[in-house]
Amino acid sequence: MAYFVNVILPIPLENLFTYQLSSEEAQVLQAGMRVAVPFGKSKVYTALVHQVHQTPPEAYEAREIHSILDPAPIVTARQLRHWEWMATYYMCTLGEVFRSAVPGALLLESETVILKNNAFIPAGHTFTDEEYLILEALENQAALRVGDVIAILEKKTVMPVLNGLLQINAIVLQEDLQEIYKPKMVSFIKLAAEYETEQNLEALLESLSRAPKQVKAVLALFQLQAQTKKPLRTKQLEKAGRTSRAVVKALIDKGVFEEYE
């Protein structure tokens, strides 16, 4: 007797998708558990079990699931009913609610970028041969995708192995490790606090009388600061004050301007 499972995929498609199960898998699976399933020609997604049944799909031949990822449901029946209400109320798909509702680490898929967690301390942990192969590969290259892991382990059911490494924090997903990217810094500039009084500003301008370009830059900054209460970008000063980076830097070196990021 054939068994099937309807699953929620974390993609914006209207319908649930049906996959074939063995009788052993059908006995284990419950609504709210995660399974790894093939989708399309080469993609693998983490899907959520919606219902186990014995009715085959009419429009296509059901493919087998890759693997079961959880020993017990991670989403309750009450939460699933709430998701269905949300999908109806907000006019979106159940898959979109699924993707938004669970942490990214629970949604391993083909495109997921896997990285080594440099903060992980392996002391006291015994790795399986498959786990060791993945960690060894991450020593030699910065990142892996699920497809790379499939090639390394020479099998399709790699999600449970990756899931195990995630649970002990030996690996992280790209979205969990924002610090691997260097943030873009923007330079802002302001007049040093000691020159904000009229008396000190006049004395400053007098001392710079032999450097007309620097006087022009100081006056431009003073006027721009008076016009807006927002922080002023260095490039804004250079453009609005028609001054150069060299002039601005000279005033920074003298302590007249303060630049910060």
Side-chain angles (χ1 to χ4, degrees):
M1 188 175 291
Y3 290 91
F4 301 91
V5 59
N6 291 345
V7 301
I8 306 168
L9 287 166
I11 50 181
L13 296 175
E14 290 292 338
N15 300 321
L16 301 177
F17 284 80
T18 303
Y19 290 84
Q20 189 171 348
L21 299 174
S22 66
S23 57
E24 292 81 8
E25 290 169 334
Q27 298 302 315
V28 171
L29 281 180
Q30 302 175 51
M33 292 172 62
R34 292 175 307 150
V35 290
V37 297
F39 189 79
K41 291 184 178 181
S42 59
K43 291 186 177 180
V44 178
Y45 282 104
T46 295
L48 197 75
V49 173
H50 188 268
Q51 181 188 12
V52 177
H53 57 88
Q54 293 182 295
T55 305
E58 296 180 0
Y60 55 91
E61 184 177 349
R63 299 164 71 179
E64 295 180 355
I65 66 169
H66 271 179
S67 54
I68 298 172
L69 300 180
D70 299 308
I74 65 164
V75 176
T76 67
R78 183 176 182 180
Q79 287 171 325
L80 276 174
R81 289 195 300 272
H82 184 53
W83 289 8
E84 289 167 351
W85 174 85
M86 289 175 68
T88 302
Y89 186 82
Y90 292 107
M91 294 184 289
C92 62
T93 66
L94 199 53
E96 289 172 298
V97 179
F98 174 33
R99 178 170 285 278
S100 300
V102 301
L106 299 181
L107 292 174
L108 276 167
E109 55 192 61
S110 307
E111 294 83 2
T112 298
V113 177
I114 303 152
L115 308 121
K116 179 186 175 184
N117 182 5
N118 293 322
F120 174 69
I121 301 174
H125 183 81
T126 303
F127 296 106
T128 66
D129 291 343
E130 291 177 336
E131 289 174 339
Y132 180 77
L133 284 173
I134 294 171
L135 294 174
E136 187 179 42
L138 286 171
E139 290 286 348
N140 299 316
Q141 58 190 93
L144 297 172
R145 294 187 183 272
V146 172
D148 300 324
V149 178
I150 290 172
I152 291 167
L153 301 185
E154 298 182 345
K155 69 176 196 177
K156 291 183 177 180
T157 54
V158 301
M159 295 296 201
V161 184
L162 293 173
N163 206 40
L165 289 171
L166 273 171
Q167 288 177 358
I168 62 171
N169 294 317
I171 60 173
V172 291
L173 307 187
Q174 180 171 307
E175 55 265 33
D176 293 335
L177 197 68
Q178 297 298 329
E179 62 265 28
I180 66 170
Y181 299 104
K182 184 178 179 180
K184 180 182 177 181
M185 304 302 289
V186 179
S187 296
F188 291 83
I189 199 151
K190 63 182 179 180
L191 195 63
E194 64 182 289
Y195 300 114
E196 289 180 352
T197 64
E198 185 177 346
Q199 183 179 356
N200 287 351
L201 181 61
E202 287 180 1
L204 170 65
L205 294 175
E206 187 177 343
S207 69
L208 295 175
S209 58
R210 294 186 179 182
K213 290 183 179 180
Q214 293 183 16
V215 170
K216 182 181 176 182
V218 171
L219 289 173
L221 179 56
F222 184 77
Q223 291 170 356
L224 288 168
Q225 284 186 333
Q227 291 169 7
T228 177
K229 298 298 182 183
K230 295 181 181 179
L232 188 70
R233 294 190 181 191
T234 305
K235 287 186 177 179
Q236 285 178 273
L237 171 64
E238 292 172 6
K239 183 177 179 181
R242 297 181 180 179
T243 187
S244 67
R245 177 63 190 174
V247 171
V248 171
K249 187 177 184 306
L251 289 165
I252 292 171
D253 293 341
K254 290 179 178 180
V256 176
F257 287 171
E258 292 180 3
E259 190 174 42
Y260 58 100
E261 295 184 325

